[in-house]
Amino acid sequence: MTVPLDSGNPPDVPRIGAGEPVAPGVPEPVPAGPTSYEQLDDHELLRMHVAGNPDSFGFLVKRHRDRMWAVAIRTLGEPEEAADALQEAFISAFRRADSFRGDAKVTTWLHRIVVNACLDRIRRRQVRAADPLPEDEDRAAELAGPAEEDPAEVRERRLDVLNALKQINEDQRAALVLVDMEGYSIEEAAAILDCAPGTVKSRCARGRAKLLPLLRHWQTTRGSGDPDKTTPEAVGTE
């Protein structure tokens, strides 16, 4: 399966578990119509899935798959790897839905599963390839750009950012993707990554410092700015 890297479109996610029997002793719920599903919040959709509804999980996936895909492709950088990781994550979420405690947002729970699936793939890939990580922790500098840009240049820059992200520590990469590229707050990213907010801040700072030498060539074409604000988003990944 090949998905254009800059298409912004996630792969089709099949209906997971369709036709599986309802858990013993649980009465089969009456399926809700499309309009009814749209009116339900994430917690209710997940509760219905656990109770045996055959369609609610698929609707939940459809509601959030675009953002989950963005996290996967930006973390892994390769469409086929990202598609496989996303599929694994959704299957895992389908099977583990009864473990959701309800004390966090469903999206936080889903993001955590997607991020973990991506990190697992990165670690397996590193074991196979044994590629060394760059150690340069140069200073950061913002890469500001002109108002109007050549689409070909935007695509080239996006590819450079994704390739650079693949070369930094996977924990730093995950933090940068969530905070700088997906717009999550430090606290939200900490909940997704299951670590302290201070850890997320540290990973972001170190990751930005490692990205700079890998993306320095864009600085000469786009100008420099505040050294405290270099992010993957600053070089144009949208």
Side-chain angles (χ1 to χ4, degrees), residues 16-17 20 30 44 46-48 51 54-55 64 74 86 106 120 122 156 163 169 171-172 187-188 212 216 222 233 237:
I16 305 170
E20 292 188 359
V30 177
E44 181 62 17
L46 197 60
R47 187 201 66 76
M48 289 172 62
D55 300 311
H64 297 296
R74 287 167 167 173
L86 194 62
V106 172
D120 286 344
I122 291 170
E156 180 183 357
N163 287 331
N169 177 283
D171 291 331
Q172 295 167 5
E187 290 72 21
E188 289 171 329
L212 177 62
R216 188 183 297 280
R222 304 188 70 192
E233 186 179 21
T237 56

Side-chain angles (χ1 to χ4, degrees), residues 67-89:
R67 197 166 190 185
M68 301 300 163
W69 168 248
V71 170
I73 187 63
R74 287 167 167 173
T75 302
L76 289 166
E78 298 177 5
E80 290 188 4
E81 283 275 293
D84 289 344
L86 194 62
Q87 183 75 338
E88 290 173 0

Side-chain angles (χ1 to χ4, degrees), residues 150-170:
D150 181 357
E153 180 180 314
V154 172
R155 175 175 169 79
E156 180 183 357
R157 189 165 63 248
R158 181 185 294 114
L159 290 171
D160 279 355
V161 170
L162 293 178
N163 287 331
L165 284 168
K166 288 192 289 186
Q167 297 184 58
I168 67 174
N169 177 283
E170 64 266 19

Side-chain angles (χ1 to χ4, degrees), residues 100-227:
F100 177 69
R101 297 188 301 271
D103 55 355
K105 293 180 179 179
V106 172
T107 50
T108 299
W109 176 74
L110 283 174
H111 269 92
R112 184 180 301 162
I113 295 174
V114 171
V115 168
N116 285 339
C118 291
L119 294 181
D120 286 344
R121 282 189 164 267
I122 291 170
R123 290 164 186 144
R124 291 199 298 268
R125 188 167 59 192
Q126 287 175 340
V127 168
R128 292 195 302 268
D131 290 332
L133 294 174
E135 295 299 328
D136 192 350
E137 292 193 15
D138 215 342
R139 292 174 301 279
E142 183 176 15
L143 305 176
E148 296 182 3
E149 300 182 83
D150 181 357
E153 180 180 314
V154 172
R155 175 175 169 79
E156 180 183 357
R157 189 165 63 248
R158 181 185 294 114
L159 290 171
D160 279 355
V161 170
L162 293 178
N163 287 331
L165 284 168
K166 288 192 289 186
Q167 297 184 58
I168 67 174
N169 177 283
E170 64 266 19
D171 291 331
Q172 295 167 5
R173 186 191 317 176
L176 283 176
V177 167
L178 292 173
V179 175
D180 288 346
M181 303 178 78
E182 290 301 305
Y184 283 101
S185 68
I186 294 294
E187 290 72 21
E188 289 171 329
I192 292 170
L193 298 173
D194 196 22
C195 64
T199 301
V200 174
K201 290 182 180 179
S202 175
R203 290 175 181 175
C204 285
R206 291 179 178 272
R208 290 170 191 145
K210 287 186 177 182
L211 281 181
L212 177 62
L214 302 175
L215 299 171
R216 188 183 297 280
H217 55 288
W218 288 111
Q219 183 177 0
T220 61
T221 61
R222 304 188 70 192
S224 60
D226 186 345

